[in-house]
Amino acid sequence: MSLPRVVSLAPSATATVAALGGADRLVGVTAHCDLSDDPDAGSAHGEESPTVVGGWLNPDLDRVAALDPDVVLTSDGLQADLADNSRDRGLDVAHREPSTLDEAVEGFAARGADVGRPEAGERLAADARDRLDRIADAVADRPRPTVYCEEWSDPPMAAGNWVPDVVRAAGGRYPFVDPGERSREVDPAAVEQADPDHAVVHVCGHGDRVDPASVAERDWVDAPVHVIDDSLLNQPSPALLDGVERLARLLHPDAFSVADADDRT
């Protein structure tokens, strides 16, 4: 049985397929997908690297169709129309739209099925749940600091989707957006009233290249400002588990100092 030809139009899907060990099946990706650490990408179909088909919101669907994919991967509500347009062209589309942390983890198994690696997908989801359980044990029974997470700064937007779940999984409180709701423009007065203990900045597309002073200098933010690479919080990929752990260590460093010491004994 030949391996499927996969075009991924979502960076999160590309990262998940790579984590599944399926990057060799990718024949097309967007300019926003990062496969720099996977030299085998595209190799199952004799490609030195997958063809770049454009941006994640405006790919060239003629170029996608020319790659003769067995499946096209899309993600997020912002790609729903793109998924429909691809189906209209007769392409087989696997559209996943997680909005919570649980749905993101379940999506790892779904992506495994999408690209012909169902067992790898189930393992990846199980490993993610195990990591979340270990983090939960480490932060259990500790005070929960209030955290403000900002995924866009002009205008300031409080992070939604799975980020509220991530904060809670990391041992914090997040009173700004409910889990599963979209990110939204924040009311400075609401942030000031919530009096967060930490402000976390993870601006979409900026990695960790944000000056924390740009947030710390606001008169409605009176908390330490931490910049976290947006790839750890803004994509429903396996990197999200790294984001949970990074945040948990930031909020509860003593908990992990104890856990790390126990691991060394």
Side-chain angles (χ1 to χ4, degrees):
M1 180 178 176
S2 61
L3 298 178
R5 296 173 59 84
V6 180
V7 171
S8 175
L9 300 182
S12 61
T14 302
T16 303
V17 170
L20 291 166
D24 59 336
R25 301 158 195 225
L26 290 167
V27 295
V29 295
T30 75
H32 300 94
C33 297
D34 183 6
L35 288 167
S36 57
D37 294 330
D38 201 322
D40 293 330
S43 62
H45 302 291
E47 305 291 339
E48 291 187 6
S49 61
T51 297
V52 175
V53 297
W56 81 285
L57 290 179
N58 57 348
D60 184 337
L61 293 184
D62 287 335
R63 188 176 298 178
V64 172
L67 293 171
D68 191 25
D70 295 296
V71 63
V72 176
L73 310 181
T74 56
S75 183
D76 195 271
L78 294 175
Q79 287 195 317
D81 288 345
L82 177 61
D84 289 341
N85 291 339
S86 298
R87 292 189 185 99
D88 289 343
R89 289 170 172 260
L91 300 173
D92 187 4
V93 178
H95 180 73
R96 309 293 176 188
E97 199 171 314
S99 60
T100 65
L101 180 57
D102 282 345
E103 290 174 0
V105 171
E106 291 169 1
F108 303 160
R111 285 302 185 202
D114 292 340
V115 300
R117 299 215 68 195
E119 293 180 358
E122 294 291 348
R123 286 195 302 271
L124 187 61
D127 288 346
R129 294 187 186 100
D130 287 345
R131 289 182 68 181
L132 289 171
D133 287 344
R134 290 195 296 271
I135 294 168
D137 289 343
V139 303
D141 302 322
R142 292 177 176 268
R144 288 182 167 265
T146 299
V147 183
Y148 164 63
C149 291
E150 183 170 294
E151 77 163 42
W152 194 251
S153 295
D154 186 20
M157 296 185 69
N161 297 313
W162 45 81
V163 171
D165 289 328
V166 167
V167 173
R168 289 160 189 169
R173 291 181 61 253
Y174 193 74
F176 304 102
V177 182
D178 288 334
E181 292 186 357
R182 302 291 293 187
S183 303
R184 60 171 177 253
E185 188 171 347
V186 73
D187 178 358
V191 177
E192 191 171 21
Q193 183 176 7
D195 190 22
D197 300 289
H198 298 271
V200 175
V201 183
H202 48 105
V203 177
C204 286
H206 286 63
D208 58 2
R209 301 178 302 278
V210 177
D211 183 358
S214 65
V215 175
E217 66 190 9
R218 300 173 187 162
D219 58 10
W220 48 273
V221 174
D222 184 20
V225 177
H226 314 276
V227 175
I228 292 182
D229 193 313
D230 74 288
S231 67
L232 301 183
L233 294 177
N234 293 356
Q235 292 182 11
S237 75
L240 197 54
L241 280 299
D242 296 330
V244 177
E245 183 169 304
R246 172 75 180 277
L247 192 56
R249 289 178 179 272
L250 187 156
L251 302 181
H252 301 286
D254 293 345
F256 290 91
S257 296
V258 172
D260 293 343
D262 290 342
D263 288 342
R264 290 194 293 269
T265 59

